[in-house]
Structures are given as C-alpha cells and as structure tokens.
Amino acid sequence: MSKYSNVAHYQDFTELEKILERSGNSYDMDLIKKAYDYAEKCHGDQRRVSGIPYILHPTSVACILGELGMDTASICGALLHDVVEDTPVTLETISKLFGVEIAKLIDGVTKISKIPYSSREEQQAENIRKMLIAMADDIRVIIIKLADRLHNMRTMDCMPEQKRRDKSLENMQVFAPIAHRLGIKTVKEELEDRSLQYLDPIGYKEIEDTLLMTEEGRERFIESIKEQIVEKTKDTIPNVFISGRVKSINSIYRKTIMRNQTIDQIFDVFAVRVIVDNVPDCYNVLGVVHDVFKPIPNRFKDYISMPKPNMYQSLHTTVLDKNAIPFEVQIRTWEMHYTAEYGIAAHWKYKLGMSGNDKDDDRLKKNIENVKSMILDQLEAEDATDIARNIRNDFGENDVYVFTPKGDVMNLPRGSTPIDLAYLIHTQVGHRMVGAKINGKIVPIDYKLRTGDICEIITQKSEHPNRSWIDICKTASAKSKIRQWFKHERREENIVEGKQMLEREFKRQGINLTEDEYPEFFKSLTVKKQYNTLDDFYAAIGYGGIQLWKIMPRIKEEYQKTYAHDIEKITVPQAPVRRKKESSGVIIEGNDDVLVKFSNCCNPLPGDEIIGYITRGYGVSIHKRSCTNVPDDLSKCEDPRRWVKAHWEEKTGETFRSTLQIIANDRTGFLADLTIKLSQMHIFIHTLNSREVKNGKAVVTVTIDVAGRDHLRGVISKLSDINGIEEINRI
Ligand code: MN
C-alpha cells in the first residue's frame, strides 16, 4: 500500500497533541486531555481485534479530525465516540462531565452506527435518509463518523475477508458519496482507494504498480512544466505555488478497468496544480498557461464563476506540452484549495485560525447554513429513493449501478443495456435471455440502464443470442461472448454471412474479380493462411473473429499486386472524419449552411491552409491548398467558380483522423517502439499496417486521431526520435 504507507495505523495521545499544536488553531487542551483520560479509563483493558489497546482507536480518529482542522468539541466527541456504545457509561454522564454539545455529538455518532446496512435499494435509501437527518442536526456528527470509518479501513487487515468486503461496499455506496457531497476530498479518496483494495485487490495492484513504474518520468515531466510556468509568471504574478498531482487509484480504476481504457488514454492521470493569492491572478495564470502550451479546445472549465454543488472552485484546462503530451492544469486560490481538499471541514479550519474575527465567524455560520439547507431540501424530496439516487449519482458520472432482484449491486458503464447485465451475471444467462424487466415492467432489449434500476433478466432454456445484439450491447465482454456463441453454434450461418460480408466489402472497395479469378486469388491470400479452408475463413468473418476493416488494406494491396500492378500507392481505409458536434469546424465564405466534407486525398487538419470545392450533389469538399487535386493556378483551371475560399473556425474540439506513412529500417522491435511512443502521447491508433520493401526497409502506414495540425506536428517530431526512422509523411 505504497500510496498511503506514510499513514500510521495507530496514533497515540502525544501525536494528537502534536497535530493540534501544529495546526496553529486554538484548542481547549484541558478538556481534550480530560476526555482522553476518561475514555482510556472507560475502555480499560478492552482490545481491538488485532490485540492493540482499544483507546488507540478513538485517539487515532481524533488525530484524523485534528488533521482536518476540526474543533475542540469534535476532537472530544471522537475520543469518546465508542464509550456509550461499548461501555456501561450513559449519555447523561457524558453530558454532565463534558456538556450537552459533546454529548449530542456522541449520541449522533452512536445512532448512525446502529443504522443497519443492506444492499437492498429501499433499505439503503432509508439508511441514507437517516444519516442525512443526523447530519442536518449537526454536520460534525457525520464528519466524526467518516473519520471513524476511515480509521477502521486503515486497520482492516486483521478482519475476516467477508467483513472487509461488506465494509468496503458500504463505503463505496454510502460513506464515500457523503464525503464527496461534503467536499472532503482527502477522506473520500482514501476511503475509496482502501475499499477498492479489498474489493478488487488485483485491479488495484495493477494500477498501483503502473503508477510506481512511471513515477520518475512523471516527476520529471511535471518539473519541466513547472519551470516553464514559473519562467513566465515570476515577474508579473506574486506567490505562484505549483505542484503536480496524480489521480486517486480508484478514479483511475473507474476509467481504466470499467471503461476499458489504458492508463495512457486517460487525459488527466497527472495534472499540474497552480495556487495563487487571489481570483484575478487565477485568470492571469490561465492566460500564461494558454500562451505557453497549446490548449485543447472545449476542455476549459470555469468552476470559479460556476462552483460545483459541493462548493468546489477552480479553473480547469487541458493543454499540450511541446511533445504533444496532454495534461490538465488546475488553477485556484488558497481558500479554494482548502475547500477542495477539506470541503465543509475547511470552514472550521478557517474559523479557528482567525479566532475573534466576527466576519469570518459569520461566514462560517452562513456556509454551514447553506449545507444544512441543501440537505433539508433533499429531505423534502417525497421519495427517499430519490435522495439515495441523488447521492449515488455523484459517484460515477460514467457508471450506472443497477440492482438484481436479489438486491445485488451490479456496476456497468453508462449506456449499458439489459444484455450487458445478463452477460455480466453469467454467460449462460446472456445466451438464454429473452427479455428484461425494469422495476417490474418489461422493457425493450436496447433499454439504457439507469442507476437505481432493479433489473430482472427473463431467460428461457431453449433460447439463444441474436446476432444484432452485438451492435446493441455496450460492453466488450458481452460482445465477445455473443461472438463466441456464434462461432461455436452457427458455423453454416457464419459461412454464408461471412461470404456476403466480404463480397459487399469487395464491391465497396472496387475489387472486381471474375468467377475464374476468385479461387486463384483466394489461394494466394496471405491473411487467409491461418485458416485451413476458405469456409473457415468465411466463418471467422461471419462471427466477427476477423474484422474486415483490419484485413482489407492487405487484401487490396495483394489485389493490386496481382491484377493492377499498382503497388506504389499504399491505401488504407479512410473512414469519414468523426465529428463530435454538428459544426464542421470550417467556414465557407458566402455559404452559411452548406454540407461540408473533408477530402480523403489530403485529409486537411485545422491549421492547414484550405480551399473548398463545390461538388455535384455532395456539398463542399475541403482540400488542403497544397493538395495535388487542387490546381496551382485557379484562374486557369476548367471551372474556377467551383473553387471557394474556406478557413477554419476558431475553436474546434474535435479530433481529426490523419494517416502517416513512415519509412524505416526494418529492425526487430520497431513497431513496438512506434506504438509505445504513440500511446505515451495518448494518441488513438485506428489502423496500423506494415510491409517489407526492398533493402531491408519497411513501410508503415498508421492512421491516428489528432487535435489539429500543430498537434500532428508535435507527434511527428516526437516519432522522428525513434531509432531507424528515415522519413515520415502525411498522406
Ligand atoms: Mn469507532
């Protein structure tokens, strides 16, 4: 557990004293010592499961609260939190000895502990409602409870497996979302990471190992970014504090394992955080950052003018460094920083730090009132289920959590269907599925699951999957299980289907073979070699084991070699340029509302000089000005009026597909180096083809997504460093 290895599992009273002293806040140390002595006397020789004296648990909880900056009453509450529950001492005694305020806190914590946990949705909702009521009374109650949970997680190793899993699940479903809602990020992240470690130890370790392996490179990277920002701000903006940060393991986990991405594909595994004195400086730093690095359009978010519901404020932007490596920059003031880390707890921190200041006292009261009314608003929601949903929706924008009729919680990526759920439950459940019920009602099979749905899969023994499901379902695992079924169960069908698919694709690609030529051509086909018969080959296409877009470039090449003798020009499939929003990103002069498409001959990128050509019936096609299909002298060409001026719209957030032809020495490991380099730059690779040419050289064509011309330029310059590369050209 390297990330948290510096956290002591148990802390004693001396350490508590040190933490409180270090905080610079004013505490009633006499009362705190009195609470400690009393708790120690009450717990006597009680021991934790691990054999450690019990008193060290409440003391450690008090330490966590001290780190959060909580007040004297909270610290005393923490020290005494298990006294009423675990010893004969009554609440009245506590009240007499320590006052009503502290007694009330302990009462609240004890009540929360008694709320039984259940994975059934209705029960869970009711529990969260009870907790919210306790919170609305005094928010410090839930903060003490969160610290208690956190400390129990730190010392969970000696507990039985089942108990660790139960507690971890409860943290993920109830306590971490509450910590998030209160903005206490430090507690939320540690709770989640520690729970994840018990829920999926292997997945956790995989991410942790990867992070450790890349640690040094990451630190160097952040150091260089830091230097560049400091260089540009040192004369104009005072007190700029810059640090690097890595996402929590749980948030990387949600993005990688649940969304099937690799760590390299996550934009903000590392981020740079800039902290300054005041709000105007935040925007000044933003200007500098956008000046030094190239911003990725549509990744800028202003949470300063639009704070998140949990009070989080910062500016976020994602930019590219000179090697085209994207990274996130977060810019904020110190006050925003404390709120980001400690959330509602930050307000106690402030209050104590500035004791005697009425203005700050008022602000604290106002903030607590705000949170209270937010919670009360939620309580007024008619249905307790809604409250549970609201809270749960906070923790997983991109996941949905659904329940089986037995009450088990299943976790799927957003956009998943009952088919995905069926295959997640069991392969056989998927194969035999005939329909699904959501909350008791039958729904179409392509229904998009929502968090909180209770989903029942209806099965029938004699049934089997439908080929169309492959396109309907969302998860890769369901798709592959359906394909497997067809592979084994429907050979004849697959052969027919595969043959038709291949013939359709041949037609589309302009491959024309006569009946006589067919068998001869197929005999020579290298992609077919691993299949014993042509039928096997067709069958593989039919069930999806071979994907046509992957093999077609090769087939086309061989076709040209054999029949057209035109092997000079390498062609790769050029899918239409993907667009995320309606706008094409291009402005055609004099034409506002015209269909725009990007030519495949030169694949223009934002930043390229471009020109439009009015086609017959397909709108305007955009070419690079330098494209060979564009006449050099437009005034002398056949139909000059069809060429129109075009330029790029200022901000486009799309990615563009670009194909590179790379000529290199054909050494072993070259392709591996190339793909590693691309993935380090977070570049998505669509297709990659390589073939040998004479003199020990290889020609590689690779189709990738880039953000624009400058991005592509950065990518090319980075690739040029690879040993053995001779030439890189855009085609
Ligand atoms: Mn406890």
Side-chain angles (χ1 to χ4, degrees):
M1 162 144 289
S2 63
K3 190 172 173 195
Y4 298 104
S5 56
N6 59 341
V7 180
H9 286 184
Y10 283 100
Q11 290 163 289
D12 61 15
F13 191 74
T14 325
E15 275 166 280
L16 177 61
E17 280 179 312
K18 270 190 221 147
I19 289 168
L20 298 182
E21 198 183 341
R22 204 168 50 216
S23 73
N25 300 337
S26 54
Y27 284 102
D28 182 345
M29 285 313 291
D30 291 341
L31 190 63
I32 291 172
K33 180 77 168 80
K34 185 178 158 197
Y36 173 80
D37 289 339
Y38 189 73
E40 192 186 26
K41 196 183 91 201
C42 293
H43 287 298
D45 43 11
Q46 278 179 8
R47 306 241 153 207
R48 296 274 280 176
V49 175
S50 57
I52 281 163
Y54 198 92
I55 182 66
L56 287 176
H57 164 62
T59 313
S60 304
V61 175
C63 286
I64 294 173
L65 292 167
E67 300 276 12
L68 286 176
M70 297 303 292
D71 60 3
T72 299
S74 309
I75 302 288
C76 293
L79 288 169
L80 297 163
H81 82 269
D82 280 332
V83 164
V84 176
E85 202 181 338
D86 295 348
T87 75
V89 176
T90 63
L91 217 54
E92 288 78 62
T93 317
I94 298 283
S95 183
K96 255 182 240 148
L97 287 169
F98 297 97
V100 187
E101 187 188 6
I102 291 172
K104 267 187 154 176
L105 286 176
I106 293 165
D107 187 32
V109 176
T110 312
K111 272 186 188 145
I112 290 185
S113 312
K114 287 196 178 131
I115 299 173
Y117 173 73
S118 157
S119 64
R120 287 196 65 93
E121 187 187 31
E122 312 88 79
Q123 188 65 47
Q124 241 182 57
E126 190 53 27
N127 294 348
I128 292 177
R129 200 174 69 90
K130 284 179 188 155
M131 277 180 214
L132 289 171
I133 293 167
M135 277 157 68
D137 212 28
D138 190 331
I139 285 164
R140 290 175 297 182
V141 167
I142 192 72
I143 300 177
I144 296 170
K145 185 65 202 172
L146 287 170
D148 182 32
R149 294 295 297 207
L150 180 58
H151 184 253
N152 284 334
M153 287 311 288
R154 284 182 185 172
T155 54
M156 193 58 83
D157 272 342
C158 51
M159 289 295 184
E161 161 88 20
Q162 187 58 42
K163 180 144 186 168
R164 294 194 298 217
R165 291 187 61 90
D166 288 350
K167 291 282 168 193
S168 298
L169 211 55
E170 199 177 326
N171 286 333
M172 289 292 201
Q173 291 174 340
V174 179
F175 289 99
I178 287 177
H180 176 66
R181 183 47 73 93
L182 298 178
I184 312 175
K185 195 176 114 195
T186 48
V187 172
K188 174 200 173 241
E189 286 190 350
E190 193 179 335
L191 265 183
E192 284 177 343
D193 281 359
R194 288 187 185 275
S195 302
L196 176 67
Q197 204 199 1
Y198 293 125
L199 293 171
D200 182 356
I202 295 166
Y204 182 94
K205 181 129 195 351
E206 198 178 302
I207 292 169
E208 195 185 45
D209 287 350
T210 314
L211 288 179
L212 270 177
M213 248 160 47
T214 52
E215 197 172 10
E216 212 178 295
R218 218 165 42 229
E219 270 163 19
R220 243 182 291 126
F221 175 77
I222 284 169
E223 204 46 49
S224 99
I225 300 300
K226 225 163 142 175
E227 277 167 22
Q228 295 175 69
I229 298 176
V230 167
E231 181 57 36
K232 288 277 176 152
T233 53
K234 65 175 194 282
D235 298 329
T236 47
I237 307 168
N239 305 328
V240 176
F241 177 86
I242 305 170
S243 68
R245 77 171 255 280
V246 178
K247 273 183 155 321
S248 77
I249 291 180
N250 183 58
S251 62
I252 296 174
Y253 180 87
R254 287 205 325 240
K255 293 198 177 180
T256 52
I257 298 192
M258 296 193 187
R259 272 159 63 186
N260 237 334
Q261 295 181 324
T262 67
I263 286 196
D264 295 327
Q265 287 170 317
I266 304 176
F267 263 118
D268 42 4
V269 164
F270 41 64
V272 173
R273 183 174 290 154
V274 184
I275 307 176
V276 289
D277 287 342
N278 54 49
V279 173
D281 281 350
C282 290
Y283 291 95
N284 290 336
V285 168
L286 179 74
V288 169
V289 168
H290 280 180
D291 194 38
V292 180
F293 308 102
K294 184 173 169 50
I296 297 181
N298 296 340
R299 297 274 305 185
F300 169 64
K301 292 190 191 87
D302 185 347
Y303 295 119
I304 291 183
S305 53
M306 290 282 286
K308 289 189 185 180
N310 64 10
M311 300 174 291
Y312 178 88
Q313 288 185 294
S314 279
L315 300 175
H316 286 193
T317 184
T318 305
V319 295
L320 301 172
D321 84 334
K322 59 177 186 300
N323 296 320
I325 298 177
F327 61 98
E328 190 183 57
V329 183
Q330 303 171 347
I331 307 163
R332 53 176 73 150
T333 64
W334 282 104
E335 191 181 341
M336 293 173 194
H337 179 63
Y338 290 131
T339 306
E341 295 292 305
Y342 303 112
I344 188 74
H347 300 286
W348 275 274
K349 230 177 167 134
Y350 276 126
K351 181 196 175 189
L352 293 164
M354 306 166 188
S355 53
N357 184 334
D358 286 347
K359 222 180 104 198
D360 287 310
D361 212 39
D362 283 351
R363 198 181 55 188
L364 167 72
K365 276 186 196 141
K366 221 182 118 204
N367 270 315
I368 293 173
E369 279 312 311
N370 283 345
V371 174
K372 257 194 190 180
S373 71
M374 175 191 91
I375 292 166
L376 290 171
D377 282 351
Q378 290 195 346
L379 285 178
E380 278 170 17
E382 279 170 28
D383 187 359
T385 314
D386 284 344
I387 303 167
R389 264 184 208 165
N390 285 342
I391 286 203
R392 273 203 309 264
N393 282 344
D394 280 349
F395 82 104
E397 269 175 46
N398 295 300
D399 302 324
V400 291
Y401 296 81
V402 298
F403 295 84
T404 66
K406 280 187 202 150
D408 294 328
V409 182
M410 307 297 268
N411 189 340
L412 295 133
R414 188 160 290 266
S416 291
T417 63
I419 304 171
D420 296 288
L421 177 66
Y423 278 101
L424 185 63
I425 294 170
H426 196 281
T427 307
Q428 287 309 320
V429 174
H431 288 343
R432 290 172 185 170
M433 163 169 179
V434 287
K437 279 184 188 172
I438 299 291
N439 306 327
K441 285 192 199 111
I442 297 226
V443 293
I445 210 158
D446 61 351
Y447 173 89
K448 299 274 184 289
L449 295 168
R450 289 167 46 186
T451 293
D453 281 344
I454 300 173
C455 182
E456 182 188 344
I457 305 294
I458 309 164
T459 57
Q460 225 157 64
K461 251 207 165 116
S462 56
E463 278 303 323
H464 59 79
N466 187 309
R467 220 182 271 273
S468 68
W469 289 3
I470 297 172
D471 297 324
I472 295 171
C473 67
K474 165 96 179 169
T475 53
S477 70
K479 284 181 201 288
S480 92
K481 282 172 183 169
I482 300 167
R483 281 200 191 104
Q484 283 303 316
W485 189 90
F486 279 103
K487 179 181 177 180
H488 293 302
E489 304 289 329
R490 285 289 186 272
R491 190 177 145 81
E492 293 310 312
E493 228 174 78
N494 290 334
I495 294 172
V496 175
E497 178 84 359
K499 188 159 188 286
Q500 281 172 359
M501 283 164 74
L502 190 68
E503 282 170 358
R504 267 199 304 272
E505 191 60 26
F506 273 20
K507 222 173 191 176
R508 219 174 61 80
Q509 299 265 4
I511 296 181
N512 296 310
L513 290 170
T514 61
E515 283 297 319
D516 312 340
E517 284 168 334
Y518 250 98
E520 201 53 38
F521 179 53
F522 273 104
K523 217 183 273 169
S524 69
L525 219 49
T526 48
V527 287
K528 203 203 93 228
K529 285 226 169 94
Q530 48 171 315
Y531 298 91
N532 287 330
T533 66
L534 191 54
D535 276 355
D536 286 347
F537 179 58
Y538 285 144
I541 297 172
Y543 76 78
I546 296 180
Q547 276 153 325
L548 278 177
W549 62 269
K550 276 190 187 157
I551 60 164
M552 278 314 290
R554 198 58 181 273
I555 291 184
K556 218 172 156 185
E557 217 178 277
E558 288 179 29
Y559 168 75
Q560 283 172 331
K561 210 191 277 176
T562 320
Y563 298 98
H565 307 288
D566 171 22
I567 56 165
E568 290 306 306
K569 201 169 162 224
I570 295 163
T571 44
V572 291
Q574 294 290 357
V577 175
R578 223 169 8 139
R579 306 246 138 227
K580 279 180 193 152
K581 45 171 202 176
E582 293 287 346
S583 155
S584 64
V586 163
I587 293 168
I588 310 288
E589 282 190 16
N591 279 293
D592 269 352
D593 204 25
V594 64
L595 181 71
V596 165
K597 66 176 192 122
F598 293 85
S599 67
N600 282 335
C601 49
C602 55
N603 285 321
L605 292 177
D608 285 335
E609 205 187 318
I610 49 172
I611 188 161
Y613 179 74
I614 303 169
T615 63
R616 296 178 206 275
Y618 289 103
V620 173
S621 80
I622 303 296
H623 294 260
K624 285 192 336 199
R625 183 64 188 86
S626 58
C627 173
T628 48
N629 291 328
V630 180
D632 286 337
D633 190 345
L634 291 172
S635 58
K636 284 183 190 150
C637 71
E638 207 179 303
D639 203 348
R641 276 172 312 168
R642 295 178 72 171
W643 292 99
V644 289
K645 280 189 181 160
H647 58 263
W648 296 96
E649 223 172 65
E650 275 299 301
K651 272 194 172 178
T652 52
E654 298 89 337
T655 54
F656 295 83
R657 226 169 252 202
S658 180
T659 301
L660 298 176
Q661 187 184 75
I662 299 166
I663 300 170
N665 286 316
D666 195 12
R667 63 175 173 87
T668 34
F670 172 72
L671 275 186
D673 286 355
L674 177 68
T675 47
I676 288 169
K677 202 94 178 181
L678 284 169
S679 79
Q680 279 171 349
M681 287 184 278
H682 312 266
I683 303 292
F684 184 76
I685 304 171
H686 288 280
T687 59
L688 183 101
N689 295 296
S690 164
R691 62 177 188 125
E692 244 175 88
V693 289
K694 48 187 189 296
N695 312 333
K697 298 265 191 310
V699 176
V700 179
T701 41
V702 56
T703 304
I704 54 176
D705 268 354
V706 290
R709 190 179 58 159
D710 292 344
H711 185 198
L712 183 65
R713 211 179 270 160
V715 172
I716 290 177
S717 100
K718 189 92 196 208
L719 291 181
S720 310
D721 295 344
I722 300 175
N723 188 11
I725 288 217
E726 298 202 337
E727 217 179 287
I728 304 178
N729 295 307
R730 258 175 84 186
I731 55 173

